[in-house]
Amino acid sequence: MKRRTRRATETFSMSFLDCICCGFGAIILLLVLNEFGEPIQLEQSKKDLDEQIVRMQKEVFDIRGLSVVLERELRERIAQLTAEQQRLSRLRGDLSDVEGKHKASTQEEDALKKLTETLTTARRSLIDESRDLERTGRRRIYEQPVAGVPIDSEYVIFVVDTSGSMQSQNWRYAEQKLAEVLNIYPKLKGIQVLDDEGGYMFGDYRGKWIPDSPARRKAILDYFRHWQAFSNSSPVEGIVAAIRTFWTRDHSISVYVFGDEFTGPSIQDVVDTVDRINRTAGTGARLIRIHALGFPIPGQYPQHTSMRYATLMRILCERNGGVFVGLPEGESTALRRSNR
């Protein structure tokens, strides 16, 4: 029997080639399909990116607007803070002023209290002394208008408070005392009368002396009876005007202050001002004597400004070679009743 010979197997047979071709065809088909869908995806991606850009730009604009608003609010808050800081500084300054005024007021009240006690003691002593003199038949010490005033001046200036309180309560009293002071100077080389603001009784004699004569004295007293002028109840301006206008090395001058109140802000400022202008540069001697008469305010009225006037004039008279005389209320009351 004839054995069938087996055919040799070929590596690259038709079946193998068919499989290879089918595989390549499938790959080519996939590539074709992929290239066909890619533009659609790219277009969609671009559209999505554009929308994101628009959205982000809108967010940027919103953020910028919010930043502007916040910056404006910040500037307003800074301005408010600056204003509050300035207001706080002003309040601190006001507080310092109030504390300073309170301290000065307290010091003045203490000084007035001490002065009141001193005046009360002196008044009791004078009353006792007067009673003793009356018992012995001697003349009373204070019968003269201004006891203890040195009569050594050739020129006399009167500085008179023309305020309402003086006009209504003490004007007749002041006229009487003006006449009495003139009487203690038998002959003067010059007279002048100013109100407490530094204004002149007679405008024709502004800056000049009024010659002394019986007729001139009578004219002064007659005009004084109806004299009215603006007053701030402070003799400071009149005293300063008298010193600066009339002082000269060639004359001995006395200033007589008639008043009942001092309403100025500071006693010490007045004392310092007069000290500065009423002394010579070399020796420090006083240029002009300053005397003062304190007229009473009735007891039913507040006494604070009257006490301040007494304090001020006692200091000025003591420091400027003069005498301060506080007048009693009884005589003034009697004169007011007699005028009625």
Side-chain angles (χ1 to χ4, degrees):
M1 183 173 172
K2 196 174 182 180
R3 184 179 289 181
R4 188 185 227 181
T5 58
R6 189 179 291 181
R7 248 185 330 182
T9 304
E10 294 182 5
T11 304
F12 294 97
S13 64
M14 286 298 293
S15 298
F16 177 77
L17 291 174
D18 289 340
C19 290
I20 293 299
C21 288
C22 289
F24 277 116
I27 292 172
I28 292 171
L29 182 59
L30 289 173
L31 291 174
V32 170
L33 292 174
N34 187 45
E35 289 295 329
F36 179 78
E38 186 176 8
I40 298 174
Q41 295 176 354
L42 291 174
E43 184 177 356
Q44 184 65 36
S45 298
K46 183 178 180 182
K47 183 178 179 181
D48 294 341
L49 290 174
D50 290 340
E51 291 177 354
Q52 290 182 7
I53 290 172
V54 172
R55 187 170 61 254
M56 289 182 177
Q57 287 178 343
K58 183 178 179 181
E59 291 177 356
V60 168
F61 292 148
D62 292 341
I63 291 172
R64 287 179 179 174
L66 181 60
S67 174
V68 171
V69 173
L70 292 175
E71 185 177 357
R72 186 184 303 116
E73 290 182 354
L74 178 61
R75 284 198 293 266
E76 291 176 355
R77 293 293 178 85
I78 292 174
Q80 291 176 357
L81 178 61
T82 302
E84 290 297 327
Q85 289 176 341
Q86 293 175 351
R87 180 170 173 270
L88 179 60
S89 299
R90 289 195 298 270
L91 290 175
R92 286 175 177 170
D94 294 341
L95 179 60
S96 298
D97 291 342
V98 171
E99 290 176 346
K101 291 179 180 178
H102 177 70
K103 183 177 180 181
S105 176
T106 302
Q107 292 175 348
E108 284 194 9
E109 287 179 0
D110 293 340
L112 288 173
K113 185 177 179 181
K114 292 179 181 178
L115 177 61
T116 302
E117 295 173 353
T118 302
L119 290 175
T120 301
T121 304
R123 183 179 179 183
R124 291 173 180 170
S125 176
L126 289 174
I127 291 173
D128 294 339
E129 187 175 358
S130 298
R131 288 173 178 171
D132 292 340
L133 291 175
E134 286 177 350
R135 291 192 192 98
T136 58
R138 294 172 56 187
R139 188 177 180 180
R140 294 177 62 188
I141 288 179
Y142 289 99
E143 192 172 63
Q144 293 185 358
V146 280
V149 175
I151 313 301
D152 60 352
S153 299
E154 301 171 310
Y155 296 83
V156 170
I157 303 172
F158 295 95
V159 176
V160 183
D161 180 354
T162 57
S163 64
S165 60
M166 281 288 291
Q167 295 275 352
S168 62
Q169 303 294 334
N170 291 302
W171 203 243
R172 185 71 181 86
Y173 201 10
E175 180 188 348
Q176 175 184 317
K177 293 305 174 184
L178 176 61
E180 291 178 358
V181 172
L182 286 173
N183 288 337
I184 66 176
Y185 292 93
K187 182 63 178 176
L188 290 168
K189 293 183 178 180
I191 305 171
Q192 190 53 263
V193 185
L194 308 178
D195 61 38
D196 59 348
E197 292 285 308
Y200 291 81
M201 173 183 278
F202 299 108
D204 294 342
Y205 287 96
R206 179 179 297 275
K208 299 184 295 184
W209 292 106
I210 301 172
D212 185 20
S213 70
R216 293 290 183 186
R217 294 190 178 201
K218 184 177 184 302
I220 290 172
L221 293 173
D222 290 343
Y223 193 94
F224 185 90
R225 191 169 297 115
H226 307 288
W227 186 29
Q228 292 184 343
F230 172 78
S231 168
N232 62 356
S233 292
S234 171
V236 180
E237 296 86 349
I239 295 173
V240 171
I243 296 173
R244 287 179 172 170
T245 304
F246 292 99
W247 176 79
T248 173
R249 295 180 184 275
D250 300 329
H251 304 322
S252 58
I253 303 171
S254 288
V255 171
Y256 284 85
V257 182
F258 286 22
D260 61 349
E261 291 184 292
F262 173 63
T263 60
S266 172
I267 291 176
Q268 190 61 49
D269 287 349
V270 177
V271 174
D272 293 341
T273 299
V274 175
D275 279 349
R276 186 173 62 254
I277 66 175
N278 194 35
R279 66 170 63 197
T280 59
T283 63
R286 299 298 172 170
L287 309 177
I288 290 178
R289 285 187 186 273
I290 298 178
H291 309 293
L293 275 68
F295 290 83
I297 293 180
Q300 66 268 29
Y301 296 104
Q303 301 293 313
H304 177 66
T305 53
S306 176
M307 297 299 294
R308 295 184 77 228
Y309 173 82
T311 301
L312 171 63
M313 298 317 301
R314 283 178 65 88
I315 296 173
L316 287 183
C317 292
E318 181 180 355
R319 296 169 75 98
N320 294 276
V323 174
F324 172 73
V325 178
L327 300 173
E329 183 180 352
E331 189 172 352
S332 176
T333 303
L335 285 171
R336 288 200 301 272
R337 290 174 178 172
S338 65
N339 288 336
R340 292 173 186 171

